[in-house]
Every structure is written in C-alpha cells, then in structure tokens.
Amino acid sequence: EYVYTSAGYYPQVNGVTPPGGVFAHIAGEDLVQGEDGRWWVLEDNLRIPSGASYPLFVRDIERRISPRLFRDVRVRDNRAYPMMLRRSMDFVTTEGIAVVLTPGRYNSAFFEHAYLAEKTGAVLAFPEDLEVEDNQLFFIDYSGSKHRVGVVYRRLSDEYLDPFAFNAESVIGVPGLLGAYRAGNVAIMNAPGNGAADDKAIYYFVPAMIQYYLHEDPILHNAPTYMPMFEQDRKTVLDRMGELVIKDVAEAGGYGVVFGSSLDASQREELADRIKADPRRFIAQEVIQFRDIDVVDPKTGQYEPRKADLRAFVVTGKDTQVWYSGLTRYSSVPGQMIVNSSQGGGFKDTWVLADDDATMTDKYDQFEDEKISIATQTQRHSLSLLTASKAENLYWLGRYTERVFTTLTRFFPFYDHVMDTDVDAFRPFARALDLPEDFEDFDAFVHSFLYDESNPNSVRSAMDYA
C-alpha cells in the first residue's frame, strides 16, 4: 500500500530491471550523531543525492594550503569518488559513451554536474544534445554527428526526464528516453522510480526490511518514527504535536519539515487537520538532540557551535563501496536543526582517519590505473564531443569579448585626442558606434560608456554579457 500510494511511484517503470540490476547507483545516507555518541539515520536519498563535489574541491584547497597536516594526521584520501562513480557507470553501461545529463546552468547544482562530468570523463550533456532514435539514445555534437550513449547519470527528477512518458510540459527532458531505457538500450543512474524507495514513509520500514531479508539487526538506528496512517501512531502524533518533528514525505531539501515546538496553538491545530485529512502524506519523528560542531562565524571570526549532519555516499556497481569522505552540512543559525544548503546551511570537508596500522590508500589501490585512463578520456571528450549549444555559447563569448577589446582599442586614441584638443574630437568615435553626440557632460558620458551596467552599450555591459 505504501509503495503504490507513494508520490514517487511510477507505473511507467513497473517491472523494469535496470541494466546490471542496479537501482541505487549512488545513495546519500543522511546521518546525525546524538549527544550520547550514537549514530542515527535520518533519511535515505536514493533519487538524485547531491553534494559529493563539495568535499572534493574543498579537500584540494586544504591539501595545497597545508600539505604537512594531511601527512601527519593520516586523513584518508578522498579523491577516489570520481573513479568509484566511473566504475559504476562502466559496470551498467549498455553500449556507448557516458553522459551527465544536466537541466542547464540555471540549476542550483550545475557546478556539480559540470565538475563530476569533468572528473569522471563523462560528457556534460544538455537535453537538446540528446536524441532517441529506434529506441537508442544518441549524443549529437556540433557537426551533427551522432554518438551512441550507454549510460546517463541524470541530474533531473523523474517527472521531467521524458515528456512522452511523464510530464508532457517538460522542456528539459529527452523525448523517448524512457522507451530506450525500458528496452534495455541505455542505463540511467539512479533508476527512474527510485522515488518510491526514497519516500520518507518507506524509511519507517527499513529496519524491518533488514531483519526480514537479511536476517540481521540493523547496526545504525532509525530516528524513532510514527506513521499517522496507523491509528495508534496517529493518536500519538496528535497528542504530542508540540514535541515531534513533522515531515511531508514527498518533499526534499529541508522543505516540508516542521518542528511542532515552533508552532502556536492555531498552527498546530491547522497541521493536525491536514494530518487527519491526508495521513499518508506525513511522518513524525522524535527530535534527536544531535551534536554541534564548531564553525567560524564569517561576521565575527569567532568559533560558534552549529548543528551538523553527515551525508555519506554509497556507490554501487559490480560491488558496493562507501566513500572515505562525505558532506558535512551545518545550519546557518545557532540552534537551528535544519542544515540543508537550500535552507541556508553551509558545508565542511569530512575527514576519515586511517588506523595506525592501515595504509592510507589500501582500499583504493585498485583505482590507480583508472586515474590515467579517465584523464585521457576527459581530454578526448573535451576536444571532440562539442555540442551545438556549447559551440553557440563559445561563439557569443568570443563575440562579446571581441567587442570589449575592439571598443577599448578604438576608444583610447580618441579619448587621448580629446585631452589634447576638445570634446569635438570624440564625435567621430560616437558617430561610428551610433552613440549620442550631444555631450552635455562629456565626463559623465564617458563614465557611463565605460562602467554603467544599466547602459546596454557600455563596455561593462559587454563584459557582463560575456
């Protein structure tokens, strides 16, 4: 019942086994450590868990600033993540190249899309760069040549993936992509339909799943959770509204999370009515008093405690591995329990320390060969697989930078001439560029021409366009 009533359940992929049999290629497990030292799992992120790029580039900066520290403290190397991700891609690929599908540069995680494409040697693809033909997916470069795609690391939600199969109004999907996937001709990471498992209500059942399927007791604890669909749990939730945290099961990124203690009587009553009307939509959890970490307040420069959680990344291909790192997120407001970046939270690198008797890279020695091949593949893709949209961007980048350069090289001789004679010497330049020749205040005109961002003809505007 919970699977079929989940907002993330899509009958379009019911019964489809993905290439390689892998559904959750990248899992993001959100963990917190209680003040008593015990670790708790808050959420399982199995759709499009983001954030792996941030510890990677921050570690690069840290290593350059203080290399001796990393030798002395025995911090595990975290640079294997792109290799782990690439291995997963290569394990599930059908036939062809690997692409990272991004909705575009206006997406809040676009930096990560581009960064991981570069690091894994995959091609960064926009929806318009991909086309389905005969139930096969192709990447189209700037010359119109088609390249078969074997695996897509998608960074957009199921409902926008394919306008033929899901939301017909989506302009960021690839028409026919789901047909190619269902035919087994392309792998999609993570698998479409994972939202049914990502559902916060399904989280409630995970300990029972572990006991039923694996005959083991879970090592990590679920946060104590109540399901309003169960009558006894609903009564508990309504009676203890002011003590619990209420979550909308279909939301993500910290949205739809309400701490009952923050609501007044009328707000609690309104939320209680919503829970009674649609109990499937909500879960409630005990508030875990998890630990603070110290952060430097950017305004005062002082250390201040902030609530923090850890997103651990688990990558599955031929086997399953946990990354020796993770995304530590902290709240921007003292005492606030929500740490998501979409809610203003910050992030830190996560240090995993090696045992005294362990080698620093023992687990990742197997990736040494891939480091060279990935770099080579990245270079090849960056040179040969240039799409029409990227070529268009490069054209306009060149056009605007050329405009800045040529304008300034023509501008200065006239401007120098004005200093030697008078402002009339500037009129031929203004006439050539269709600029006003009536200089009521010549200095103000020149300042606007160079620096005014509201003036579309200014050098500053051309730089902004570039």
Side-chain angles (χ1 to χ4, degrees):
E1 180 180 1
Y2 273 95
V3 171
Y4 291 131
T5 57
S6 171
Y9 169 74
Y10 287 102
Q12 296 94 319
V13 289
N14 200 7
V16 177
T17 300
V22 181
F23 287 83
H25 308 77
I26 309 114
E29 300 298 318
D30 289 346
L31 311 170
V32 294
Q33 188 175 25
E35 292 176 342
D36 61 358
R38 287 203 298 175
W39 285 90
W40 303 82
V41 182
L42 285 187
E43 288 183 9
D44 306 297
N45 296 281
L46 306 175
R47 285 182 288 188
I48 318 170
S50 62
S53 61
Y54 301 105
L56 283 169
F57 80 77
V58 140
R59 181 72 64 86
D60 278 346
I61 295 169
E62 291 171 338
R63 287 166 63 91
R64 284 161 174 71
I65 291 172
S66 187
R68 182 184 296 272
L69 177 67
F70 284 85
R71 289 196 296 270
D72 295 345
V73 179
R74 295 179 61 79
V75 178
R76 291 274 193 183
D77 190 346
N78 77 342
R79 290 172 292 176
Y81 185 80
M83 268 96 59
M84 294 166 67
L85 190 55
R86 181 72 205 203
R87 276 198 157 193
S88 179
M89 291 177 178
D90 291 344
F91 177 72
V92 300
T93 189
T94 53
E95 180 185 336
I97 63 173
V99 303
V100 176
L101 174 58
T102 175
R105 64 190 178 93
Y106 294 108
N107 184 273
S108 61
F110 179 67
F111 161 78
E112 175 161 286
H113 307 167
Y115 185 87
L116 291 178
E118 176 189 340
K119 291 294 185 182
T120 59
V123 181
L124 183 66
F126 298 96
E128 60 268 25
D129 302 331
L130 299 175
E131 181 180 286
V132 175
E133 186 177 297
D134 296 329
N135 261 357
Q136 294 181 347
L137 182 65
F138 294 92
F139 174 90
I140 305 171
D141 66 23
Y142 73 100
S143 66
S145 299
K146 295 181 179 181
H147 306 264
R148 174 81 184 272
V149 177
V151 57
V152 176
Y153 177 20
R154 53 76 173 254
R155 294 303 299 257
L156 62 162
S157 300
D158 288 358
E159 59 267 33
Y160 300 111
L161 263 181
D162 182 349
F164 287 176
F166 299 112
N167 182 353
E169 296 181 359
S170 171
V171 294
I172 57 173
V174 180
L177 175 58
L178 196 72
Y181 171 71
R182 287 174 59 91
N185 292 332
V186 66
I188 299 178
M189 305 168 55
N190 280 334
N194 270 19
D198 193 87
D199 189 309
K200 292 180 177 66
I202 298 297
Y203 160 92
Y204 175 89
F205 298 102
V206 171
M209 291 181 195
I210 292 171
Q211 291 166 337
Y212 182 85
Y213 289 106
L214 304 180
H215 310 294
E216 298 174 3
D217 291 325
I219 298 169
L220 293 169
H221 307 278
N222 259 24
T225 305
Y226 304 97
M227 302 283 279
M229 267 190 80
F230 300 143
E231 185 177 348
Q232 185 58 46
D233 280 13
R234 183 166 65 250
K235 184 176 185 303
T236 301
V237 172
L238 297 176
D239 290 344
R240 299 182 54 212
M241 185 79 73
E243 305 168 31
L244 303 174
V245 55
I246 316 297
K247 296 182 178 181
D248 188 321
V249 299
E251 293 283 3
Y255 295 100
V257 177
V258 177
F259 286 85
S261 57
S262 68
L263 305 178
D264 59 31
S266 64
Q267 290 171 324
R268 287 181 196 170
E269 187 175 344
E270 179 189 355
L271 181 56
D273 290 341
R274 290 169 59 202
I275 291 173
K276 292 174 189 173
D278 190 3
R280 170 64 179 83
R281 185 175 172 179
F282 300 93
I283 64 168
Q285 292 178 331
E286 299 284 356
V287 177
I288 297 174
Q289 293 302 325
F290 54 97
R291 290 177 58 175
D292 297 307
I293 59 171
D294 285 335
V295 304
V296 178
D297 187 300
K299 295 179 181 177
T300 64
Q302 302 297 312
Y303 282 98
E304 292 191 3
R306 294 285 193 277
K307 295 295 181 188
D309 77 355
L310 168 65
R311 174 166 290 182
F313 289 87
V314 185
V315 181
T316 298
K318 184 178 180 180
D319 50 20
T320 296
Q321 293 185 313
V322 182
W323 183 31
Y324 275 143
S325 188
L327 179 67
T328 296
R329 305 179 297 180
Y330 62 87
S331 63
S332 57
V333 179
Q336 180 176 293
M337 307 283 276
I338 298 178
V339 299
N340 304 71
S341 58
S342 54
Q343 307 297 310
F347 74 92
K348 282 174 166 256
D349 185 15
T350 306
W351 290 4
V352 178
L353 304 184
D355 295 332
D356 291 339
D357 59 349
T359 61
M360 294 297 288
T361 58
D362 54 357
K363 190 173 179 181
Y364 295 141
D365 285 344
Q366 59 188 303
F367 295 117
E368 286 301 314
D369 294 338
E370 277 98 327
K371 288 181 180 177
I372 298 171
S373 64
I374 285 178
T376 305
Q377 195 164 18
T378 304
Q379 191 175 37
R380 180 174 63 82
H381 284 164
S382 64
L383 292 174
S384 62
L385 298 184
L386 184 68
T387 63
S389 58
K390 290 171 189 168
E392 179 87 349
N393 287 339
L394 288 170
Y395 167 80
W396 285 106
L397 175 65
R399 182 75 180 268
Y400 283 117
T401 50
E402 182 184 43
R403 178 180 296 178
V404 170
F405 178 75
T406 55
T407 300
L408 289 177
T409 54
R410 296 289 185 272
F411 166 82
F412 281 113
F414 283 98
Y415 192 61
D416 288 339
H417 197 35
V418 166
M419 295 179 193
D420 297 333
T421 56
D422 57 39
V423 296
D424 286 337
F426 200 76
R427 296 189 192 281
F429 178 84
R431 194 175 305 120
L433 294 185
D434 290 328
L435 299 173
E437 296 182 47
D438 297 327
F439 311 125
E440 294 181 9
D441 183 340
F442 178 71
D443 291 325
F445 165 79
V446 168
H447 188 275
S448 172
F449 175 70
L450 291 176
Y451 306 117
D452 186 1
E453 59 187 312
S454 65
N455 176 3
N457 298 314
S458 72
V459 174
R460 163 68 184 272
S461 291
M463 283 299 297
D464 286 346
Y465 289 137

